[in-house]
């Protein structure tokens, strides 16, 4: 077995907008999977979110960069935003592994993503290039996540670490709804993110 020199977490998402749930998830993953670095990768155009009011890639990138500025372990990549057309996680992972064969990759997700992984493009190519680090979220029961994890382990030989993380119901969907109806999002996103959103009136109309 080759010893990988660096453990890198991949925090993928639409980040429309980034919020404390994402940051807490990344921090729990860093600590519990002993990751050296977490790379936030805002997704490009997603066929799963065509019907939503998605900010431009540049705006989502800006918000993520504001949210991680004070954390030396967190960094940001625009690799999915600069790729044309739909972007798929399997491609991102294959590109990363090719560029950096010495690193071991850990894809960080909430339970909803783990439960839907079978419907992603080429799950076997995702799971052969990374381990998963997953936290329970929303209404999903821990037992349901454990069953799904076992099934993915059997079917694809996946390596899955379930995180111990305080459950938070924060979601981008809820933040967009709050902004659209004039309610506060303070303390649900980092202060600089809230400031930028209010200043640019994002999601307000
Ligand atoms: P939306 O409501 O628009 O789908 P979201 O809050 O789910 O937004 P995404 O960008 O879709 O955010 O999520 C990126 C990743 O972060 C996913 O793997 C998702 O499961 C995870 N995630 C988001 N919010 C939480 C949370 N509160 N707790 C745990 N995981 C989360
Ligand atoms: Mg989501």
């Amino acid at each position: 077995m080759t010893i990988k020199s660096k453990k890198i977490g991949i925090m993928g998402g639409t980040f429309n907008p980034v919020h404390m749930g994402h940051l807490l998830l990344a921090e729990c993953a860093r600590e519990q999977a002993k990751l050296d670095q977490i790379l936030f990768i805002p997704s490009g155009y997603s066929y799963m979110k065509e019907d939503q009011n998605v900010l431009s890639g540049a705006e989502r990138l800006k918000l993520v960069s504001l949210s991680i500025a004070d954390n030396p372990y967190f960094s940001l990549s625009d690799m999915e935003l600069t790729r044309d057309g739909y972007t798929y996680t399997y491609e991102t992972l294959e590109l990363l592994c090719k560029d950096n064969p010495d690193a071991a990759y850990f894809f960080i997700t909430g339970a909803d993503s783990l439960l839907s992984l079978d419907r992603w493009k080429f799950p076997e190519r995702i799971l052969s290039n990374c381990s998963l680090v997953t936290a329970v979220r929303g209404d999903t029961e821990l037992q349901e996540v454990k069953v799904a994890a076992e099934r993915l382990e059997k079917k694809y030989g996946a390596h899955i670490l379930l995180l111990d993380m305080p459950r938070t119901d924060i979601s981008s969907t809820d933040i967009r709804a709050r902004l659209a109806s004039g309610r506060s999002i303070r303390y649900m996103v980092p202060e600089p993110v809230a400031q930028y959103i209010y200043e640019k009136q994002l999601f307000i109309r």
Side-chain angles (χ1 to χ4, degrees):
M1 203 174 90
T2 44
I3 306 285
K4 302 279 190 174
S5 62
K6 216 175 170 198
K7 294 169 81 175
I8 302 180
I10 304 296
M11 183 66 212
T14 315
F15 302 117
N16 187 45
V18 64
H19 56 69
M20 290 301 192
H22 297 130
L23 298 165
L24 182 62
L25 173 60
E27 177 65 3
C28 289
R30 182 190 69 77
E31 183 176 52
Q32 290 167 48
K34 301 187 173 58
L35 305 176
D36 296 297
Q37 192 204 338
I38 315 274
L39 193 56
F40 283 68
I41 309 186
S43 58
Y45 194 62
S46 167
Y47 65 100
M48 294 190 193
K49 298 209 171 176
E50 270 172 345
D51 53 335
Q52 295 174 15
N53 170 16
V54 182
L55 294 180
S56 72
E59 275 169 323
R60 290 180 289 122
L61 203 61
K62 173 73 185 174
L63 291 173
V64 175
S65 94
L66 289 170
S67 78
I68 64 174
D70 61 354
N71 189 325
Y73 296 106
F74 291 179
S75 57
L76 179 58
S77 163
D78 65 358
M79 66 181 288
E80 291 202 351
L81 296 169
T82 50
R83 230 153 62 218
D84 278 341
Y86 292 126
T87 50
Y88 297 104
T89 300
Y90 84 90
E91 284 178 320
T92 300
L93 278 163
E94 286 177 1
L95 287 168
L96 286 168
C97 290
K98 203 169 132 223
D99 273 2
N100 202 353
D102 246 13
Y105 286 98
F106 293 74
F107 194 71
I108 304 168
T109 71
D112 53 317
S113 309
L114 182 85
L115 296 181
S116 70
L117 203 94
D118 258 336
R119 296 194 294 279
W120 294 24
K121 195 159 182 189
F122 300 138
E124 66 285 0
R125 285 167 74 173
I126 297 178
L127 295 168
S128 61
N129 280 310
C130 69
S131 304
L132 292 185
V133 183
T134 301
V136 176
R137 107 178 257 215
D139 297 332
T140 318
E141 294 296 334
L142 178 61
Q143 192 50 31
E144 196 185 337
V145 181
K146 282 187 175 161
V147 170
E150 262 174 42
R151 204 177 51 75
L152 293 170
E153 282 165 356
K154 278 213 189 89
K155 187 165 172 190
Y156 301 109
H159 299 276
I160 303 175
L161 171 70
L162 296 183
L163 290 176
D164 174 17
M165 167 174 144
R167 220 181 253 264
T168 150
D169 270 349
I170 301 177
S171 71
S172 302
T173 301
D174 182 54
I175 288 173
R176 294 193 298 276
R178 283 171 193 272
L179 288 163
S181 59
R183 286 176 294 156
S184 172
I185 59 160
R186 208 167 170 200
Y187 307 122
M188 298 184 137
V189 301
E191 187 60 28
V193 171
Q195 270 177 24
Y196 188 90
I197 287 176
Y198 289 130
E199 193 183 301
K200 303 273 179 193
Q201 302 264 297
L202 301 179
F203 304 109
I204 289 171
R205 280 175 304 264

